[in-house]
Amino acid sequence: AVVSTQSTGRCSVVDYAGEILFDGYVRPIQPVTDYRTRWSGIKPKHLTSATPMVEARKLILRHLKGKYLVGHDLQNDFQALNFKPHPALVKDTSKCIALRHLAGLDVKRKPSLRLLTRLIRGKDIQSASHCSIEDARAAMALFKAAEDNWEDQTNPFLDDSYWAHLT
């Protein structure tokens, strides 16, 4: 049987102003069989001196625990880090209906970070290669664009994910 897993190869954390709090390559526990360079921007040379996953996780979680977490399509990142933040602290731009309205998109389809950034900020990202710092800053800029209307989307208490940590 072939088992496919994803892991974190690079992690970038920025603050509200877009300043870098953490940026580093992460050496996965399992050997890498497909770097997916086109999407990840990661090449074998990046992981030769990368921080081991166990150590990197500790460093990264210091910046995340108890904070509002802004990003795009974050569930895979959280899964790779084995991290379950409280849903009320997660501001995922891929799920934000206000951003879809701002971009003039169908509210039922989940847009890419690249598309939202182009339509709302008028900026092209991920053109040459993928950069996690660029993605983190783009997600923060999108959050700021919809921040005043963010909570108007749904009542979090009615969302099953709000209560998931209790089960």
Side-chain angles (χ1 to χ4, degrees):
V2 175
V3 178
S4 175
T5 59
Q6 293 187 32
S7 61
T8 300
R10 182 179 179 187
C11 181
S12 300
V13 179
V14 300
D15 64 13
Y16 188 80
E19 296 297 318
I20 299 168
L21 300 176
F22 178 89
D23 180 49
Y25 289 101
V26 179
R27 188 171 53 249
I29 295 168
Q30 300 295 324
V32 178
T33 56
D34 183 0
Y35 287 87
R36 301 176 59 200
T37 302
R38 180 176 175 213
W39 294 277
S40 69
I42 296 171
K43 298 176 183 173
K45 67 178 183 180
H46 294 129
L47 299 186
T48 55
S49 61
T51 306
M53 179 59 176
V54 174
E55 185 182 333
R57 183 179 182 274
K58 290 176 189 173
L59 294 170
I60 294 163
L61 292 184
R62 279 190 211 151
H63 295 287
L64 303 185
K65 286 188 175 182
K67 307 257 175 57
Y68 281 103
L69 306 172
V70 175
H72 192 83
D73 215 7
L74 291 167
Q75 72 269 4
N76 292 330
D77 300 307
F78 294 152
Q79 185 178 16
L81 290 168
N82 193 25
F83 177 55
K84 294 182 181 180
H86 193 286
L89 295 176
V90 177
K91 307 300 180 186
D92 192 326
T93 57
S94 75
K95 297 178 179 179
C96 181
I97 302 301
L99 286 171
R100 295 177 198 178
H101 284 295
L102 278 172
L105 297 171
D106 180 350
V107 296
K108 295 176 185 160
R109 291 191 56 204
K110 182 167 45 169
S112 68
L113 179 62
R114 184 178 186 180
L115 180 62
L116 282 174
T117 301
R118 184 169 11 96
L119 294 175
I120 294 173
R121 308 281 302 148
K123 183 177 176 188
D124 281 324
I125 62 167
Q126 304 170 345
S127 300
S129 182
H130 183 268
C131 173
S132 57
I133 296 171
E134 180 180 49
D135 286 0
R137 287 176 172 158
M140 187 59 76
L142 290 172
F143 170 73
K144 289 178 179 182
E147 186 174 11
D148 292 340
N149 299 315
W150 198 278
E151 301 304 328
D152 296 341
Q153 299 174 76
T154 61
N155 180 338
F157 300 108
L158 300 177
D159 185 350
D160 288 343
S161 67
Y162 182 86
W163 304 99
H165 70 286
L166 298 175
T167 58

